Amino acid sequence: MTLVTVLGILIVRKITLFLRKEAVSGYTYTQTSTAALRHPVRQWSNIPVHIVEEHHEVLPYWFRAADHGRISKGVTLVHIDGHSDMASNFYLDGYPFFKWPKNPQNINIMMQRNDGFITAAAMAGLIGNVVWIWPKWDQVNHNDSKTSGTLQFGWTITRQSKVGTDKAFCMCLTESIQQQKSCMFTSADETDMEVLMEEDACIIKRSIHYTEMREDLAREYLQSTHESFDNMILDIDEDFFGCEYASQPLYDLSVDLNALDTYLFQLFCPLHQTGEAVLDRYLAEVIDFVKRTKCISENKPENCDGKTISNTKQFFLRKRSIWRPYICKTTKKERSSFIDGIIEELFKLNLKQLHAVQKVGFCLSTTRKTYQPISPSLFSICKGANSPNETAVTEHRTNPIEVSTRGQLLSSILNVFKESPPKIITVCRSVRDGYTPRQHFVQIENIILNSIRKNYRKAFIHYDKGLLGGKNGFKQSNF
């Protein structure tokens, strides 16, 4: 499989309000500062390590680092990830068209997809070189253990699309060895959003160098390459250690939750992680109450007498002080109907299915920092964007021993930069979207952070306010 084919397969993955300043601790946006112009890649006393939930949440941190002079334009990105994350965004009115973002609104419109952040940063002029290090378990998607080439970014004219524009971003890849060039554009109208196109139809605006390699070759390559890593972002996704389906417990029990999801996101609209956590705990209590009624009707809620259903609704309403701050703008009649729907759907499930729903939990489908007109943030079962019938993503079930072994390899890769450390490090959890194995999340994150601390003594860890489950993570007691 060529790099072109691999890229075409991988960039269709992970798809599915205004950017709040408080989402980035202490963040105040400015255009490229005088300090940054005078002192590109300045020396700093600490190396910031920003831990985010979804990968596009790194963009505010990257651009702030550039505006403050920590990194300079044309930075090298060392991307350690189970996936390439080289999808393109949609062109929309107000998008900073191959320009540096001037304000939070500009960055917000760039945060459309959790696999489109690299191309967004490259099109803005921040990234000049990408090195993607992929795990050996992803070998099935690669013919070669190492490839490189040139990525060009541009735009093209397409038919009127669902996003209301006749422009689309396009991308061309030229492999270094065979010099084969392949181009594609991002369409909102096609089943596969990346559509192959004639290369002369893509009007090129930016160009970067691109290299990808298997994890066991990375240390030797990084030591021997003539490329400069003095101006570097180190970016690590926790799904580098494995990729499992958060929805597997539901899939195994053939649980259909479409109706329940619809009632949930019509009733609840939490704006922050705190609200997600409160609602997750509350709904787990509701499910416990349903279990205690001893009226699990095996998909026939009508078998439960009216008193049982009424008691459950009274339990739901008695604790309205808990969930009222997080409800959507609805009428009293609509709220009552949605609550009735939630209760009825829960009574359709048996005890094992109810337990599976509690285990998977409840959360927003994506961070509120995602550009809402493209990817609305809806409260529902926390099953992620990755499911067992998803064909574009490779599943890899890991175990503690393999996690530990891969952690040792990661530490050896990071050691290459010990004398000249990265200027900024970002770590992505990928738990909300259902990629990182939740039962191994604590071990994985501890190994990554310990590897960073071991190799870079001045690393300073910062936990983003939007982390699902906060600093400690999501529903760890369930695993």
Side-chain angles (χ1 to χ4, degrees):
M1 186 180 297
T2 66
L3 180 60
V4 174
T5 306
V6 170
L7 191 57
I9 291 174
L10 296 179
I11 58 181
V12 298
R13 297 175 293 87
K14 292 185 173 179
I15 189 123
T16 25
L17 306 180
F18 185 79
L19 177 63
R20 304 181 190 280
K21 289 184 180 179
E22 63 266 25
V24 180
S25 177
Y27 180 75
T28 302
Y29 192 88
T30 60
Q31 296 186 45
T32 304
S33 63
T34 303
L37 295 174
R38 292 178 179 173
H39 305 286
V41 199
R42 288 169 52 187
Q43 296 299 313
W44 300 75
S45 58
N46 292 316
I47 304 170
V49 181
H50 298 289
I51 302 175
V52 301
E53 183 63 48
E54 295 177 80
H55 227 141
H56 53 312
E57 293 179 281
V58 302
L59 287 178
Y61 292 111
W62 288 1
F63 282 103
R64 181 182 64 176
D67 286 330
H68 290 179
R70 181 178 288 276
I71 55 178
S72 62
K73 292 182 179 181
V75 68
T76 292
L77 172 66
V78 175
H79 178 61
I80 303 176
D81 197 315
H83 312 95
S84 69
D85 291 338
M86 293 297 292
S88 293
N89 282 332
F90 296 108
Y91 174 79
L92 302 169
D93 290 339
Y95 196 100
F97 190 66
F98 294 95
K99 294 180 181 179
W100 195 262
K102 296 180 180 179
N103 50 48
Q105 294 95 320
N106 281 171
I107 291 186
N108 183 216
I109 202 171
M110 296 166 69
M111 295 172 68
Q112 298 177 17
R113 306 167 60 173
N114 65 358
D115 56 354
F117 63 100
I118 296 177
T119 59
M123 288 191 293
L126 176 62
I127 295 174
N129 181 33
V130 174
V131 178
W132 173 32
I133 299 170
W134 47 268
K136 189 176 289 187
W137 56 261
D138 194 48
Q139 181 69 64
V140 65
N141 292 313
H142 305 261
N143 272 349
D144 299 312
S145 57
K146 177 183 174 296
T147 55
S148 62
T150 300
L151 276 172
Q152 296 175 306
F153 304 98
W155 65 279
T156 188
I157 298 294
T158 184
R159 64 179 182 274
Q160 189 71 15
S161 74
K162 293 177 182 178
V163 296
T165 178
D166 58 358
K167 287 184 180 179
F169 291 122
C170 52
M171 176 170 58
C172 296
L173 171 65
T174 304
E175 293 183 274
S176 295
I177 297 177
Q178 299 180 357
Q179 289 297 303
Q180 293 180 339
K181 189 173 185 178
S182 178
C183 298
M184 61 193 71
F185 72 93
T186 305
S187 170
D189 301 303
E190 307 291 337
T191 302
D192 290 336
M193 288 187 296
E194 270 61 45
V195 182
L196 291 175
M197 62 182 293
E198 297 295 328
E199 60 181 77
D200 58 359
C202 186
I203 304 170
I204 303 300
K205 303 286 286 186
R206 299 276 188 199
S207 179
I208 67 171
H209 185 257
Y210 176 82
T211 304
E212 63 170 69
M213 73 200 69
R214 200 174 59 212
E215 57 187 348
D216 55 311
L217 305 179
R219 179 177 173 85
E220 181 180 356
Y221 168 79
L222 295 171
Q223 287 177 324
S224 62
T225 183
H226 297 296
E227 297 173 4
S228 173
F229 294 99
D230 292 336
N231 180 31
M232 184 185 79
I233 297 171
L234 174 62
D235 179 65
I236 305 171
D237 196 319
E238 295 184 13
D239 69 18
F240 176 72
F241 287 77
C243 187
E244 299 181 16
Y245 306 123
S247 59
Q248 191 69 53
L250 305 174
Y251 186 84
D252 290 342
L253 296 172
S254 301
V255 184
D256 182 3
L257 296 171
N258 290 329
L260 178 58
D261 280 346
T262 300
Y263 291 126
L264 286 169
F265 70 66
Q266 290 182 102
L267 180 62
F268 296 121
C269 294
L271 298 179
H272 302 286
Q273 182 276 327
T274 302
E276 288 182 283
V278 170
L279 291 173
D280 178 57
R281 289 193 296 269
Y282 169 70
L283 290 168
E285 289 184 33
V286 172
I287 293 176
D288 280 335
F289 185 87
V290 172
K291 288 178 177 179
R292 291 195 298 271
T293 65
K294 302 186 188 308
C295 180
I296 306 303
S297 53
E298 300 294 347
N299 293 314
K300 294 182 179 180
E302 62 271 15
N303 290 349
C304 296
D305 60 61
K307 185 177 180 180
T308 300
I309 300 295
S310 177
N311 287 343
T312 305
K313 186 168 184 178
Q314 288 305 312
F315 174 84
F316 200 109
L317 294 174
R318 277 200 304 272
K319 298 195 174 186
R320 61 170 58 89
S321 61
I322 296 175
W323 50 261
R324 184 179 290 276
Y326 311 109
I327 60 174
C328 308
K329 291 182 179 180
T330 54
T331 66
K332 185 176 180 179
K333 182 178 180 180
E334 288 172 330
R335 287 198 297 273
S336 180
S337 175
F338 298 150
I339 292 171
D340 288 341
I342 291 171
I343 293 172
E344 180 176 330
E345 291 303 314
L346 290 177
F347 271 102
K348 289 180 180 179
L349 307 178
N350 60 40
L351 287 173
K352 287 184 178 180
Q353 291 171 328
L354 287 170
H355 178 72
V357 172
Q358 284 179 305
K359 181 175 181 178
V360 174
F362 304 86
C363 68
L364 289 168
S365 57
T366 183
T367 173
R368 295 291 294 184
K369 289 179 280 184
T370 300
Y371 188 63
Q372 294 296 291
I374 294 295
S375 300
S377 185
L378 303 175
F379 186 80
S380 59
I381 307 294
C382 200
K383 53 186 178 293
N386 194 19
S387 63
N389 55 3
E390 174 69 55
T391 58
V393 177
T394 299
E395 181 189 23
H396 177 71
R397 299 192 179 192
T398 189
N399 57 68
I401 295 176
E402 183 184 346
V403 169
S404 179
T405 300
R406 180 156 282 110
Q408 295 172 11
L409 178 59
L410 174 68
S411 184
S412 72
I413 293 172
L414 269 52
N415 182 260
V416 173
F417 308 114
K418 191 168 186 176
E419 299 304 318
S420 182
K423 305 306 177 185
I424 178 174
I425 301 173
T426 46
V427 177
C428 177
R429 283 186 173 175
S430 289
V431 170
R432 182 195 298 280
D433 57 21
Y435 283 71
T436 298
R438 292 182 181 179
Q439 67 270 36
H440 301 299
F441 151 72
V442 172
Q443 182 191 9
I444 290 171
E445 188 160 295
N446 285 339
I447 283 176
I448 291 173
L449 296 184
N450 287 337
S451 296
I452 291 172
R453 293 188 185 102
K454 175 183 176 181
N455 288 289
Y456 317 127
R457 293 185 178 180
K458 294 183 179 181
F460 176 79
I461 311 297
H462 167 251
Y463 293 87
D464 186 81
K465 289 183 178 180
L467 291 171
L468 181 62
K471 177 180 177 179
N472 294 328
F474 183 62
K475 297 179 76 68
Q476 290 310 306
S477 61
N478 285 7
F479 298 107

